[in-house]
Amino acid sequence: MSDSETNPLITRLENVERTISELSRRIQRVEQLVLGGTQPEQVVVAPPPILPIHREIPVANVVAAWESFGREPVVPKPMPTAKSEKQLDDLEYKIGLTGLLRGGAIVIVIAIIYLVALAVSKGYITPVVQFSGEIALCLAFVGLGFIKRNEKEEFGQLMVGIGSCGLYLSFAGAHLFKHLYSGETLVVLFVCLSFINFAFSHLKSSRSFLAIGMMGGFTAAMLPMSRYNATLDISLHFLILVPCALLVVKNKWLEMSMLLFVAAMAALIPAMTYNHDWPVRLGGLYGTSLITALVYSLVWKETEFDPWGMLSGVFLVIGGVAALAFDETAHGSLHVLLLSGPAAVVGYLLTAKPGARNAFWLAGLSLSTALTPVGFHRLEAGFAYAGFSILLGIAALRFAPKALAGLSALNLSLGLVAYTTPWSTSNFHFTVATESWLLVSFMVATVVGGFAIKRVGGASQNAMLVASIIALPLFSRFGFVLLSTPTFGYPASLALVVSFFVFSAGLFAVSKQTHWRMVLVLAWVTFLGALLQYSQLIFDGFPAPAFDTVILALLIGMTCFAGVTTRINTESDSEANVLSAVGAVMACLIVRLSVLWLTLPAIALNVPCAIVIGLLLVTALSGGLASRLVWTALVPQGWLALLFGGAGALTIQLYQRTPSTIETGLLACSMACILLMASATGPRLCKKETLVSFCIFYTWVLFSRFAYLLFTSKGIGLKDGPAVTMAWIVYAIALLALGFQFRLRNMRYWSFGVFGATLVKVFLYDLSSLDPGVRVLILLLLGIGMVGGGYWYIRMHSANALLPEDKGTDLPLE
């Protein structure tokens, strides 16, 4: 075959080979994406170029391309990572150390105990032999520990520890169960063994041996209490405590210092329960607290648990509280100074550690101020706590540490507890003078403490709110005690009214100057308490109207001052709420003032009439202020007072006989107030049609009674039925005239309704029960009124004088 024939075939085979290679590369990228999770690079493949015809390709390459087509590329798989041999060795070593060595030691001890118990139960071992064997076995462990003392992982110390614990148990068992020697011998053995453990702990710097010697030594110190020998017990206690403290300080073991305090205080419990030798027992308790607190301070370092080193002060406070708890204040409480004094001296010596120094000083100050008054009577304790609280509060204001402010609050709390609870078993009663001065002291302490906490804490509102809450019952009690004395002779309700009033005035003044809203809330609560107590005073019967008037004037003035203060301290959106609250309080006080004045002998109105006048006065004031100053928040109050006032004017005859002139005047005032409130309400607060309808209906009811009283008077002399009918006719004509005058279609519709009601009343009642002359008069008046109204409509329609509101309506004018 010639070249001209083979060249086109070779060219086509090369193009096929390139296409297959590109497909193979794409398949490999897809497999890498699925198996390896990597994003293949985006490759823009250009169309295969057309090679020149003259290039020759070996046939072997073509065959290789056809053979590789369709094969999957081989992707190497990652090999799993095997654990290193070193990690396996470390794990095996830890299992062997913990599981075999320490577990085997425990198993050995259990086996020995079981073997000894079995031998004793069978009678093979006498007590002496048993004790000798126990000692030999324990010493064997100790000897093995010394021989292997250089082994890793403290193997030798573990063996010595097993032997030491075994010796303690063997010594105790030989005395308690085998009765081989006396208790004094056991104490000596325990103490000697403890000192041996202390020596080993000193040589090896071992916490374990310190703990073993500490537990055994304190146990030995408690053993003499079986014979109630407190002096020996306390002596042995310090004999163990001192070397323990020295070892802890030498090695700087912080956790062991805390364990030392717990163990030492627990070891003193048997001695504290004894009833004799209280100076020795309290000396042991105070000495233990001082030593353990000093040890903790010397080894203390900043940790998350105790960043400021205050735990040493806690140790001292626990010791002082425990002293009073065990001693039950039988010997007073001044002995707490024996702890607080040395604590202050030790704190002075610890100048190199400010944290430890402050802890000792704070603990000493807490003990001397909070615990020394406990042994006194209620009066002395109360004055002491109040004085301490004042002094600490002044110091906090001067130096501004939080601890002093907290101690001031603590002393105030304890003083209040002493004042309010049976502090001692003796029968003690406060006199007026002593209780008054004590309450004044507490109030001064409250104010000073509140300002101190405000300064050091920054939470001014919360601090002063709490101080005000505490001072409120104190001031109320002070006012009650002072005003109830024979000098003043005020009843209890009046005394509380005056107390609450004065206290609320002070809170409002403070809130006005400082803008503290929480104090403002408490001021309102206190003022409402004064109002409630004043209502109770009214029910109890106030004997002096003049003094009652003074109290009312003060309450009204305070209400105005409270409203102004509240408005200053609140947002502008709350103005309506402030006006509503102040208006409600003022309404109650105005009604009370009306009843007080109008029922005096000079005027001699009855109480229902005075209440109605007060309600109408409230309506007039509310409507006038709402119209003049646009205080729309007073509109609901005015309508409510008008409803009750009008109802009272209508029903006043049901309760007590009232002159008709007064009743007529009240009804006239009620109708005038309706017009005033309608003007104050206006269309911006209520729909015009609704407002007009309500006013017309309410006025109709009041006018019916007003016209009835007028037409049945001696000057006219109508009976009941015709008087009401005449009133309705006049009211209907007036509504029609006013409807045209003020362009109110709704009012004209109401005139139609009144005319219809009058017709129904005339034909169903009046025509059957009245005299003929009266019937004719009623019918003539009704007919003339209705004809006149119709003629008015005709004239208005003929003159095309429909008002803008009336145009386009469906009034039946034809």
Side-chain angles (χ1 to χ4, degrees):
M1 186 178 294
S2 62
D3 294 338
S4 59
E5 296 177 349
T6 58
N7 285 337
L9 178 60
I10 292 173
T11 300
R12 291 182 178 179
L13 290 176
E14 288 178 351
N15 291 336
V16 169
E17 180 181 5
R18 287 187 177 85
T19 302
I20 291 172
S21 299
E22 182 62 32
L23 290 174
S24 177
R25 283 195 296 272
R26 292 185 177 184
I27 292 173
Q28 289 179 1
R29 291 191 183 95
V30 171
E31 289 179 347
Q32 291 177 359
L33 177 63
V34 174
L35 297 177
T38 59
Q39 180 69 26
E41 298 180 355
Q42 300 294 332
V43 180
V44 180
V45 181
I50 301 175
L51 299 178
I53 298 176
H54 65 273
R55 183 179 178 181
E56 295 183 358
I57 303 298
V59 178
N61 293 340
V62 177
V63 175
W66 278 103
E67 290 179 353
S68 63
F69 179 74
R71 293 182 182 179
E72 297 181 357
V74 179
V75 180
K77 297 182 179 180
M79 296 298 292
T81 304
K83 293 184 178 179
S84 63
E85 294 296 331
K86 186 176 184 308
Q87 292 178 346
L88 294 176
D89 292 342
D90 292 341
L91 178 61
E92 182 180 359
Y93 181 74
K94 291 179 181 179
I95 294 175
L97 179 65
T98 304
L100 296 181
L101 180 61
R102 291 179 172 81
I106 296 174
V107 171
I108 290 174
V109 173
I110 295 174
I112 292 174
I113 294 174
Y114 178 75
L115 179 62
V116 172
L118 180 62
V120 171
S121 62
K122 297 295 185 180
Y124 300 143
I125 301 177
T126 62
V128 176
V129 174
Q130 180 182 351
F131 177 67
S132 302
E134 293 171 357
I135 298 300
L137 182 61
C138 293
L139 292 177
F141 275 102
V142 173
L144 179 61
F146 274 103
I147 294 173
K148 298 295 182 179
R149 60 183 177 275
N150 295 324
E151 289 288 338
K152 296 180 179 180
E153 303 296 341
E154 299 181 354
F155 176 79
Q157 295 188 30
L158 178 63
M159 296 296 105
V160 175
I162 294 174
S164 179
C165 293
L167 288 174
Y168 277 115
L169 295 176
S170 300
F171 292 156
H175 169 69
L176 297 176
F177 302 105
K178 303 178 182 68
H179 306 289
L180 297 179
Y181 42 77
S182 64
E184 289 78 1
T185 304
L186 177 62
V187 170
V188 172
L189 292 175
F190 264 51
V191 171
C192 294
L193 186 56
S194 295
F195 273 93
I196 293 174
N197 282 285
F198 294 155
F200 199 83
S201 174
H202 174 69
L203 294 174
K204 297 295 183 180
S205 297
S206 173
R207 294 179 177 87
S208 301
F209 284 93
L210 175 61
I212 294 172
M214 183 193 308
M215 298 304 174
F218 285 139
T219 302
M222 290 187 289
L223 291 177
M225 285 309 300
S226 60
R227 297 184 180 181
Y228 303 106
N229 193 344
T231 303
L232 179 58
D233 187 3
I234 299 301
S235 301
L236 292 175
H237 182 82
F238 282 106
L239 185 64
I240 301 299
L241 178 62
V242 172
C244 290
L246 294 175
L247 287 173
V248 171
V249 173
K250 171 185 174 294
N251 295 280
K252 303 294 183 181
W253 289 332
L254 181 62
E255 66 280 2
M256 293 304 296
S257 66
M258 293 184 280
L259 177 62
L260 177 62
F261 170 76
V262 175
M265 295 299 287
L268 286 175
I269 293 178
M272 292 296 106
T273 56
Y274 188 48
N275 294 326
H276 300 285
D277 298 331
W278 69 270
V280 176
R281 294 185 290 111
L282 293 182
L285 186 58
Y286 290 161
T288 300
S289 300
L290 281 170
I291 292 174
T292 52
L294 179 60
V295 169
Y296 180 83
S297 298
L298 293 175
V299 303
W300 171 79
K301 56 184 177 181
E302 184 176 352
T303 59
E304 293 183 0
F305 174 72
D306 188 13
W308 298 289
M310 292 290 109
L311 196 58
S312 57
V314 175
F315 291 170
L316 294 173
V317 172
I318 292 176
V321 173
L324 292 185
F326 285 116
D327 194 49
E328 298 179 354
T329 67
H331 305 90
S333 54
L334 288 177
H335 54 76
V336 181
L337 296 174
L338 298 175
L339 177 60
S340 60
V345 174
V346 172
Y348 177 77
L349 297 176
L350 294 173
T351 54
K353 287 191 172 184
R357 178 197 61 194
N358 295 336
F360 270 83
W361 282 356
L362 181 61
L365 192 59
S366 302
L367 291 171
S368 59
T369 58
L371 297 183
T372 51
V374 171
F376 296 95
H377 295 296
R378 295 174 60 191
L379 179 63
E380 292 84 355
F383 274 111
Y385 281 126
F388 288 149
S389 179
I390 294 172
L391 293 176
L392 291 170
I394 294 174
L397 288 173
R398 176 66 178 83
F399 303 106
K402 295 182 179 180
L404 294 179
L407 282 179
S408 176
L410 175 62
N411 279 271
L412 177 61
S413 303
L414 293 174
L416 294 176
V417 171
Y419 170 68
T420 56
T421 59
W423 191 255
S424 62
T425 57
S426 62
N427 296 324
F428 180 81
H429 299 283
F430 290 107
T431 62
V432 174
T434 56
E435 187 173 5
S436 300
W437 281 111
L438 182 60
L439 290 169
V440 170
S441 302
F442 283 144
M443 286 186 284
V444 172
T446 302
V447 174
V448 173
F451 278 103
I453 294 175
K454 168 185 172 295
R455 184 187 177 194
V456 302
S460 58
Q461 292 197 39
N462 296 331
M464 298 312 298
L465 175 64
V466 173
S468 302
I469 293 174
I470 296 173
L472 175 58
L474 295 174
F475 189 82
S476 302
R477 176 64 182 175
F478 172 75
F480 178 79
V481 171
L482 189 63
L483 297 177
S484 299
T485 57
T487 304
F488 295 94
Y490 287 176
S493 300
L494 180 57
L496 291 177
V497 168
V498 174
S499 301
F500 286 158
F501 176 81
V502 175
F503 195 81
S504 62
L507 291 181
F508 279 124
V510 171
S511 177
K512 186 175 183 297
Q513 295 296 324
T514 59
H515 302 284
W516 292 336
R517 294 185 179 180
M518 299 302 296
V519 176
L520 178 63
V521 172
L522 183 61
W524 268 107
V525 172
T526 308
F527 183 56
L528 292 178
L531 294 176
L532 291 176
Q533 287 298 322
Y534 178 70
S535 62
Q536 181 64 39
L537 184 63
I538 295 173
F539 288 122
D540 294 341
F542 206 109
F547 195 76
D548 195 355
T549 303
V550 173
I551 294 294
L552 274 172
L554 292 175
L555 292 176
I556 292 174
M558 179 59 66
T559 304
C560 297
F561 179 65
V564 173
T565 304
T566 307
R567 179 63 188 85
I568 293 174
N569 287 276
T570 54
E571 303 293 337
S572 59
D573 298 338
S574 304
E575 182 177 0
N577 298 329
V578 175
L579 285 175
S580 298
V582 173
V585 176
M586 289 291 291
C588 297
L589 296 176
I590 289 173
V591 172
R592 170 58 186 170
L593 189 62
S594 174
V595 173
L596 179 63
W597 284 357
L598 297 178
T599 56
L600 292 175
I603 302 176
L605 289 180
N606 54 49
V607 174
C609 184
I611 292 175
V612 172
I613 293 175
L615 290 172
L616 294 179
L617 182 59
V618 171
T619 303
L621 290 175
S622 301
L625 292 174
S627 301
R628 184 70 176 174
L629 302 177
V630 199
W631 287 354
T632 56
L634 298 179
V635 171
Q637 168 186 301
W639 278 111
L640 187 62
L642 178 58
L643 287 175
F644 284 104
L650 288 173
T651 60
I652 198 171
Q653 290 289 338
L654 300 177
Y655 297 97
Q656 196 168 1
R657 184 66 181 174
T658 304
S660 59
T661 54
I662 295 177
E663 187 178 1
T664 305
L666 293 178
L667 291 170
C669 291
S670 300
M671 290 185 285
C673 288
I674 291 176
L675 297 178
L676 177 62
M677 289 306 303
S679 174
T681 304
R684 64 181 179 274
L685 298 179
C686 181
K687 292 180 64 176
K688 187 176 182 180
E689 294 79 5
T690 304
L691 179 62
V692 171
S693 299
F694 178 78
C695 293
I696 290 173
F697 177 77
Y698 197 25
T699 307
W700 184 13
V701 176
L702 296 176
F703 184 78
S704 299
R705 177 63 180 173
F706 175 80
Y708 168 80
L709 294 175
L710 185 63
F711 292 148
T712 57
S713 61
K714 293 180 179 180
I716 300 176
L718 290 179
K719 294 183 179 180
D720 296 346
V724 176
T725 304
M726 290 289 292
W728 287 8
I729 294 172
V730 174
Y731 190 68
I733 296 172
L735 286 180
L736 188 61
L738 293 174
F740 280 110
Q741 178 66 28
F742 295 104
R743 304 175 183 181
L744 296 174
R745 180 184 298 109
N746 195 19
M747 186 175 289
R748 299 196 293 269
Y749 283 166
W750 271 95
S751 69
F752 298 159
V754 177
F755 274 123
T758 307
L759 284 173
V760 173
K761 182 180 182 301
V762 168
F763 285 101
L764 292 182
Y765 176 74
D766 292 344
L767 294 180
S768 61
S769 60
L770 297 178
D771 295 333
V774 179
R775 294 179 193 174
V776 173
L777 178 62
I778 292 297
L779 290 175
L780 284 176
L781 289 176
L782 181 59
I784 292 172
M786 295 176 67
V787 170
Y791 177 72
W792 202 338
Y793 268 93
I794 291 172
R795 287 199 60 183
M796 297 294 291
H797 182 264
S798 300
N800 196 18
L802 290 177
L803 302 177
E805 180 185 337
D806 296 328
K807 290 182 178 180
T809 60
D810 297 327
L811 285 176
L813 301 177
E814 296 294 333

